[in-house]
């Protein structure tokens, strides 16, 4: 704490006013209250948003790996965990503005930092559009269930209505974000408990139908479902894994919580383990229930039916839960709405950091004085996500499915890059002890390499026009075109920034240069 | 009476002695957020500090995320960037302060702007907290922090009206009193303030809904001024209107005036609470309003009635000396 000495008023005019910031006094203020292990688990589960994730990703994953869904869900967690260990170390070393952007810039220089950050931004903007899309589906589904009029649910298939509703949702989320409104403890606890309860109910009801013979395609549980080696091909396995990376996306928030402000140092570790137990347990239960009830056929409610794969719960909640199907709709709706909120903060803050460090125009570094939020960056992020959604909704046969698949690829890439950044950043200190070797080098290295392998495999496979939902442009799969387009745009944007702001690409990147408040 | 109405002339050498140790205003904290309303607050804080010879602290609060707000994917803390930006805003704020005012700019962290400001004001031993507001345009407050402060500040709170310039200095201190009861603690405070600020003390009573003595009071109400010839008795102004807002408009508020007002009886001990009556007055008030917190030794004779714009306040006690130094 620097207690600055103010000038005596008798010393005359101008004595105390100094434009250089010499008079600016900074010190530690109050820190926000500590969070216990339970609170951390709630935050973790809320960020993973299991109801939304399962609804969006269950179908595409099932279409890739069939009955081996539970195996892939469990195995898919491994690279995620390995990378997250590296994340945690980086976050400890560079807690301020700890982003892929600053970390990768520091480890590999500004060029890779810029591209890694671009992929992170692309992934978050993709997920924003997917979240809003899922929210639109369930909004009309919930309305139709409330009113008892089935036609309302069909409104979501009306492209103009769908796009318009989505834009309204995005605008609302952006407004809340710019106002700096925050989810509070009570809200998070209520939303998370509701989600978990409803999902368990769904799984139990599905098993109930299997038991009394009213299931759509009752399938006997089999240990083979848990065998990852039983997946038909490596391509299918890679596709399944990159989707399951998306499914667990969010879990690492528990590890990267600022330990200092949370009171204890043991909480994040314990909370991370607890969170993963809760989530893997929940996913396994729901997956088993869904598989047992619906099977993987291409029949009306089968998980292999491309008509329902983009949004499994929308199709299955009615047959499984009967009159209580509205609860699933509400759970998915609230989980995607709160996820929309927490995800919106991320690209805005990443762009804020990029603007602040000169990697983007200074406009992105603008902070709205009244609410202390990066208003300009938020609006740009929402505009891009909205335009992206609108275009995709028109172009793609199954926008939700294709965005999820592309998203899985993007997440694999930026996670992979971040993991390798961790390895490079800690390469000298990693040999100090076995523990440090494992957490700073071995784990992130293996995890990062695995994710990049899955990334390249998925990218290669996605050239096939039949990949994903089967959308294509000129005989090339839409997912591949999306992925390549995002990369090419990223390189173009980077080269443009290099011309406009060469200083950033020349600088030795350092963090921890902020005022410590 | 003497006061300096010119904008910011250099004072005669040595004209800014430290205020006496029992003066009500020795240290003034301004809450600054970088927006236009915050600049109003700085101008008011500077005008008061200059008139009182008090020290000025300009405080910018960097708010923290609620721990239950998850940001995903994790992007780390942006409070460092916000603090950098805040420091730049503070440098602009310092330029609004006349050169002869002893000013310090601070960045502090807080769960909310209001909590942070209260903590910073207490840390610096401030006798007054100044914030901007959207008042004067029919609205009460424009910032959630101001909304919170008018219901929780433990020290007197000054609200600068929108567009406050401070060029007239401080010429008059109005104490809001009820016409019915005798002596009020807000009067003691106002007397001390007027004394220190070298400003004229005025007692003002604002009433609504009383049609007497004129039958068609809506049109006929006016601000009655009864000036007492005796030197000790301050000027008294009684303004009656169909509504309080109208009564407020009837008063000819000088540009350099302040209005001191007590807190509502709803206020906790040693806390401040802007009552509905005060809020209604504030919405039409073109001059700064200072709300006084309730004192522990509150007595019953200072009831806030439903039509009299008075609420109990307390004499401002001298602060603990030199907390910040």
């Amino acid at each position: 704490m620097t207690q600055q000495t103010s000038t005596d008023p008798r010393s005359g005019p101008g004595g105390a006013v100094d434009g250089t910031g010499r008079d600016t006094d900074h010190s530690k203020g109050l820190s926000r209250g500590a969070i216990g292990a339970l609170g951390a688990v709630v935050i973790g589960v809320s960020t993973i948003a299991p109801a939304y994730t399962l609804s969006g990703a269950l179908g595409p994953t099932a279409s890739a790996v069939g009955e081996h869904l539970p195996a892939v869900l469990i195995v898919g967690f491994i690279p995620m965990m390995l990378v997250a260990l590296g994340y945690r170390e980086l976050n400890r070393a560079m807690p301020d503005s700890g982003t892929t952007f600053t970390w990768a810039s520091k480890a590999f220089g500004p060029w890779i930092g810029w591209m890694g950050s671009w992929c992170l931004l692309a992934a978050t903007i993709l997920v924003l559009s997917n979240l809003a899309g899922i929210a639109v589906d369930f909004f009309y589904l919930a309305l139709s269930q409330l009113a008892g009029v089935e036609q309302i649910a069909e409104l979501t298939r009306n492209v103009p209505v769908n796009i318009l509703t989505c834009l309204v949702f995005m605008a609302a989320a952006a407004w809340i974000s710019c106002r700096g409104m925050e989810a509070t403890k009570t809200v998070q606890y209520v939303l998370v408990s509701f989600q978990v309860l409803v999902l368990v109910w769904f799984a139990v009801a599905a098993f109930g139908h299997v038991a009394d013979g009213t299931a759509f395609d009752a399938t006997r549980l089999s240990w083979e479902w848990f065998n990852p080696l039983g997946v038909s091909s490596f391509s299918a396995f890679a596709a399944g894994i990159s989707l399951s990376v998306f499914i667990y996306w969010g879990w690492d928030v528990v590890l990267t919580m600022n330990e200092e402000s949370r009171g204890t140092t043991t909480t994040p570790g314990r909370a991370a383990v607890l969170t993963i137990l809760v989530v893997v347990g929940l996913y396994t239960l729901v997956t088993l229930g869904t598989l047992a009830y619906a099977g993987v056929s291409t029949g009306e409610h089968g998980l292999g039916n491309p008509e329902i794969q983009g949004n499994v719960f929308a199709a299955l909640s009615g047959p499984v839960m009967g009159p209580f199907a509205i609860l699933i709709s509400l759970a998915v709706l609230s989980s995607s709405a709160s996820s929309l909120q927490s995800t919106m903060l991320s690209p805005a803050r990443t762009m804020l950091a990029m603007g602040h460090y000169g990697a983007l125009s200074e406009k992105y570094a603008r902070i709205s004085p009244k609410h202390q939020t990066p208003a300009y960056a938020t609006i740009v992020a929402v505009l891009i996500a909205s335009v992206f959604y609108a275009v995709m909704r028109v172009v793609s046969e199954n926008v939700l499915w294709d965005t999820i698949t592309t998203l899985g690829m993007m997440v694999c890439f930026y996670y992979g890059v971040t993991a390798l950044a961790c390895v490079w950043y800690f390469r000298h200190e990693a040999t100090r002890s076995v523990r440090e070797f494992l957490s700073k080098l071995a784990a992130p290295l293996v995890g990062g390499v695995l994710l990049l392998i899955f990334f390249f495999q998925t990218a290669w496979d996605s050239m096939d026009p039949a990949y994903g939902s089967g959308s294509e442009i000129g005989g090339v799969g839409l997912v591949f075109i999306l992925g390549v387009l995002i990369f090419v745009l990223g390189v173009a944007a980077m080269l443009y920034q290099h011309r406009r702001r060469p200083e950033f690409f020349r600088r030795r990147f350092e963090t921890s240069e902020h005022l410590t408040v | 009476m003497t006061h300096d109405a010119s904008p910011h002339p250099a004072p005669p050498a040595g004209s800014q002695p430290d205020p006496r140790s029992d003066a009500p205003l020795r240290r003034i904290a301004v809450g600054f957020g970088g927006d236009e309303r915050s600049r109003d607050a700085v101008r008011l804080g500077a005008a008061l500090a200059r008139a009182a010879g008090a020290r000025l602290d300009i405080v910018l609060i960097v708010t923290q995320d609620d721990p239950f707000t998850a940001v995903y994917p994790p992007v780390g803390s942006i409070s460092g960037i916000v603090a950098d930006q805040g420091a730049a805003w503070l440098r602009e704020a310092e330029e609004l302060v006349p050169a002869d005012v002893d000013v310090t700019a601070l960045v502090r962290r807080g769960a909310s702007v209001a909590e942070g400001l209260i903590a910073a004001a207490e840390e610096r031993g401030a006798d007054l907290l100044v914030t901007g507001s959207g008042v004067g345009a029919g609205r009460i407050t424009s910032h959630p922090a101001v909304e919170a402060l008018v219901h929780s500040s433990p020290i007197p709170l000054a609200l600068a009206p929108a567009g406050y310039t401070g060029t007239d200095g401080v010429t008059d201190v109005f104490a809001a009193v009820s016409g019915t009861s005798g002596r009020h603690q807000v009067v003691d405070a106002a007397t001390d303030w007027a004394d220190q600020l070298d400003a004229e003390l005025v007692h003002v009573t604002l009433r609504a809904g009383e049609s007497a003595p004129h039958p068609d009071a809506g049109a006929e109400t006016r601000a009655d001024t009864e000036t007492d010839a005796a030197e000790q008795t301050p000027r008294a102004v009684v303004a009656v209107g169909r509504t309080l807002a109208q009564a407020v408009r009837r008063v000819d508020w000088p540009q350099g005036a302040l209005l001191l007002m007590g807190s509502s009886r709803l206020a906790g001990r040693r806390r401040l609470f802007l009552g509905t009556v005060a809020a209604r007055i504030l919405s039409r008030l073109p001059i700064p309003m200072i709300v006084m917190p309730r004192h522990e030794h509150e007595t019953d004779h200072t009831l806030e009635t439903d039509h009299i714009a008075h609420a109990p306040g307390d004499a401002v006690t001298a602060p603990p000396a030199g907390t910040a130094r």
Side-chain angles (χ1 to χ4, degrees), chain B residues 308-324:
Chain B
I308 295 166
H310 156 74
D314 76 279
V316 182
T317 49
T323 315

Side-chain angles (χ1 to χ4, degrees), chain A residues 174-192:
Chain A
W175 186 78
I176 291 173
S177 214
C178 286
R179 300 270 305 177
M181 291 181 194
E182 297 181 315
T184 57
K185 188 175 175 176
T186 320
V187 172
Q188 293 284 34
Y189 272 78
V190 169
L191 284 183
V192 166

Side-chain angles (χ1 to χ4, degrees), chain A residues 14 19 32 188 250 252 342 372, chain B residues 61 64-65 68 70 72-73 91 99:
Chain A
R32 222 90 195 241
Q188 293 284 34
D252 50 327
S342 63
Q372 293 186 359
Chain B
I61 301 299
Q64 293 173 276
D65 285 333
F68 279 87
Y72 200 80
R91 285 193 285 278

Side-chain angles (χ1 to χ4, degrees), chain A residues 67-123:
Chain A
E67 293 171 342
H68 299 279
L69 199 54
V72 165
L73 278 186
I74 291 170
V75 173
F77 175 65
I78 293 170
M80 180 80 193
M81 186 193 65
L82 294 175
V83 171
L85 287 173
Y87 245 87
R88 186 183 182 182
E89 296 300 331
L90 282 173
N91 194 59
R92 274 190 181 151
M94 295 177 272
D96 57 326
S97 309
T99 63
T100 294
F101 169 64
T102 41
W103 293 341
S105 296
K106 199 160 183 192
F108 296 128
W111 295 92
I112 292 184
W114 211 97
M115 272 321 283
S117 193
W118 177 267
C119 287
L120 173 74
L121 282 176

